[in-house]
Amino acid sequence: MTAIKVGSLTLEYETFGNKADPAILLVMGLGAQMIAWREPFCQMLADKGFFVIRFDNRDVGMSSRMDDFPVPDMMEMVTKSQAGEHVTSDYSLSDMAADAAGLLTALGIDKAHVVGASMGGMIAQLVAVEHGGKVLSLTSIMSTTGNSDLPPGTPEAMGALMAPAINPEEDYEGAVARGIDTLRAIGSPGFDVLETDLRDLVETAFRRGFYPQGMVRQMAAILADGDRRKRLKSVSAPTLVIHGVDDPLVKVEGGRDTAAVIGHAEILEIDGMGHNLPPQLNEQITGAIADHAARAMAV
């Protein structure tokens, strides 16, 4: 892993595979570090003939923290959004899309297949809308359009997401337990993940950087972005939507809406999949991404 300057920010990134191969940029979701793209998943894509890049978004992990901005009140933002009121943010999803596009430029990559999960799917969508010349193909995983008419996540999943963070320096085991509980609450009911694997992900994230303030600012950016449907109609890049039928946080209707609005998009719905990337689905999901990228390059 290494860092690179992108505009005024420093972004931490890691690559897999041969730089001579077509690039795949992986964009992760709300409050999640690049390690949520697990190494076996990244290596599978590299083994399929791609140069894979994962990175920490701004305000998370080892990338620049936006300390000059205040931390919004999470419940106040969500309440305003649910009431149809406008939410403001100090940086936008478009800014984060510019970060992703800027990372490619900084790495000397003209174009890439852009793959995003959850909030990362929203960012990837905006890379395709606002930086379309850099996008060979778009894959939007467990994401949505910002359409407020779509069904919300379950109370259990939403509650886990918005539960106050526990500082591991004050209560390490409590913080780890809270992290594991959150991953289980939003995870895939059809695919069990070992407790040791969940603990490893949570503890590795703590070692790299505990910074819940960034997650709240990222949530503000999501809520402030609003409905992307009109913008998504301009996406020209070949698009694949992947969504779990049993996603408790971003319901499958979000994926269906994304595919319908883009129009030419293909959609892959996976039974038993929730709001995570269970290792049992690595081959299916990486295979779908690789096949989609190959078709896009063949056009």
Side-chain angles (χ1 to χ4, degrees), residues 27-28 57 93 96-97 100 114 118-128:
V27 191
M28 192 28 80
N57 285 308
L93 289 186
M96 299 179 79
V114 181
S118 194
M119 179 190 73
M122 303 172 195
I123 295 168
Q125 293 166 13
L126 291 178
V127 175

Side-chain angles (χ1 to χ4, degrees), residues 11 26 34 107 118 127 132 144 159-160 184 196 220 246 270 289:
L11 298 183
L26 301 176
M34 65 178 173
L107 294 174
S118 194
V127 175
T144 187
R184 287 214 178 276
T196 52
D246 299 293
I270 302 178
I289 293 169

Side-chain angles (χ1 to χ4, degrees), residues 118-119 121-122 125 140-145 242-243 250 254-255 258:
S118 194
M119 179 190 73
M122 303 172 195
Q125 293 166 13
S140 180
I141 305 174
M142 54 191 175
S143 195
T144 187
T145 61
I242 301 175
H243 215 109
V250 179
T258 304

Side-chain angles (χ1 to χ4, degrees), residues 17 114 157 165 228 234 242 275:
V114 181
R228 285 178 298 284
S234 70
I242 301 175
H275 203 75

Side-chain angles (χ1 to χ4, degrees), residues 31-36 38 56 60-62 65 163-183 197-213 215:
Q33 302 179 33
M34 65 178 173
I35 55 171
R38 306 298 274 166
D56 287 332
V60 73
M62 298 172 69
R65 296 178 176 181
I166 298 175
N167 190 331
E169 293 184 359
E170 298 174 359
D171 179 4
Y172 186 80
E173 286 303 322
V176 171
R178 171 68 58 78
I180 291 172
D181 288 346
T182 298
L183 293 176
D197 290 343
L198 295 176
R199 187 179 183 95
D200 175 68
L201 179 57
V202 171
E203 292 188 321
T204 303
F206 286 162
R207 286 195 298 272
R208 295 183 80 245
F210 175 75
Y211 192 64
Q213 301 95 313
M215 175 184 170

